[in-house]
Amino acid sequence: MSSSTSALVIALLGIAGTLTSGLLTQRSANSNKLRELERAEQQHREDRTYHAEQSAVESRRACYVALNISARLYQTALTNYLVAIRAGTVSEEIRTDVDQTRREHRARHAEAQMLVPGSVLDAAGAANINLGKFYGILKSIDLGNETSNVTLEAAESRRVRSWELLGEMRTVMRQDLGIFS
């Protein structure tokens, strides 16, 4: 091979190396950019999932607060009703208060039925049933329909059981939210 042919071959190899180097660099940059985009998309999906989960927890928490408040207010109104029945001082104001808190509690319980998990719904349902029976006993006594099953003692028993069930409901709600104490 002559020196000019050797120089030409060396020059061609140099050019080919330079072009190949550029192509390999571009390919590597594209690959890195693709991985970076995939990582960014994965992070974005994880962020969306996290925010959706946080939003669901916040919705349940707000529902639990409203349900707990309404149940306690209903229980308190029923207790006031019981005290008034015992004292013979039932007024329209007391009846109206009981009916309003009952409606409010029923609305909060209905909302909870669409949002909360089964364990919380079971606990809330048990409390709601007991509060309803407590109300039924008091209403029957107030209307003068006292029977062997509908007595002030039965009402008192329901009152005590309601507080227990409300405590159990609150515990299940706190567990669902991850609050342990």
Side-chain angles (χ1 to χ4, degrees), residues 9-24:
V9 169
I10 291 172
L12 288 175
L13 286 175
I15 292 171
T18 302
L19 291 175
T20 303
S21 171
L23 289 174
L24 290 176

Side-chain angles (χ1 to χ4, degrees), residues 43-62:
Q43 182 64 44
H44 186 64
R45 281 191 303 269
E46 289 172 4
D47 288 347
R48 278 194 316 248
T49 300
Y50 173 77
H51 290 298
E53 289 169 357
Q54 289 305 109
S55 178
V57 167
E58 183 56 33
S59 293
R60 283 196 328 272
R61 189 194 71 74

Side-chain angles (χ1 to χ4, degrees), residues 4 14-15 17 56-57 65 68 73 83 98 102-103 105 108 132 178:
S4 64
I15 292 171
V57 167
V65 167
N68 188 50
L73 289 174
V83 169
V98 167
R102 180 174 183 251
R103 276 192 299 279
H105 174 68
R108 297 301 69 81

Side-chain angles (χ1 to χ4, degrees), residues 18-130:
T18 302
L19 291 175
T20 303
S21 171
L23 289 174
L24 290 176
T25 301
Q26 183 61 39
R27 187 172 181 190
S28 176
N30 287 344
S31 178
N32 287 340
K33 184 67 173 176
L34 183 60
R35 280 193 302 274
E36 183 179 313
L37 289 172
E38 288 171 353
R39 279 193 300 267
E41 179 60 31
Q42 177 64 28
Q43 182 64 44
H44 186 64
R45 281 191 303 269
E46 289 172 4
D47 288 347
R48 278 194 316 248
T49 300
Y50 173 77
H51 290 298
E53 289 169 357
Q54 289 305 109
S55 178
V57 167
E58 183 56 33
S59 293
R60 283 196 328 272
R61 189 194 71 74
C63 179
Y64 293 167
V65 167
L67 181 60
N68 188 50
I69 289 170
S70 70
R72 291 174 63 86
L73 289 174
Y74 184 29
Q75 170 70 7
T76 300
L78 290 172
T79 299
N80 293 342
Y81 194 19
L82 174 61
V83 169
I85 288 172
R86 281 186 180 142
T89 59
V90 177
S91 65
E92 277 309 308
E93 182 181 345
I94 290 172
R95 289 182 186 112
T96 300
D97 184 46
V98 167
D99 290 339
Q100 286 175 343
T101 58
R102 180 174 183 251
R103 276 192 299 279
E104 178 65 23
H105 174 68
R106 290 169 61 98
R108 297 301 69 81
H109 186 75
E111 288 174 4
Q113 288 176 326
M114 298 298 120
L115 185 62
V116 305
S119 60
V120 175
L121 194 54
D122 291 344
N128 185 53
I129 288 168
N130 195 72

Side-chain angles (χ1 to χ4, degrees), residues 130 133-134 137 153-163:
N130 195 72
K133 289 180 180 180
F134 184 17
I137 291 169
E153 292 78 23
E156 178 61 24
S157 176
R158 288 287 176 185
R159 184 190 70 78
V160 169
R161 183 67 181 134
S162 289
W163 283 120

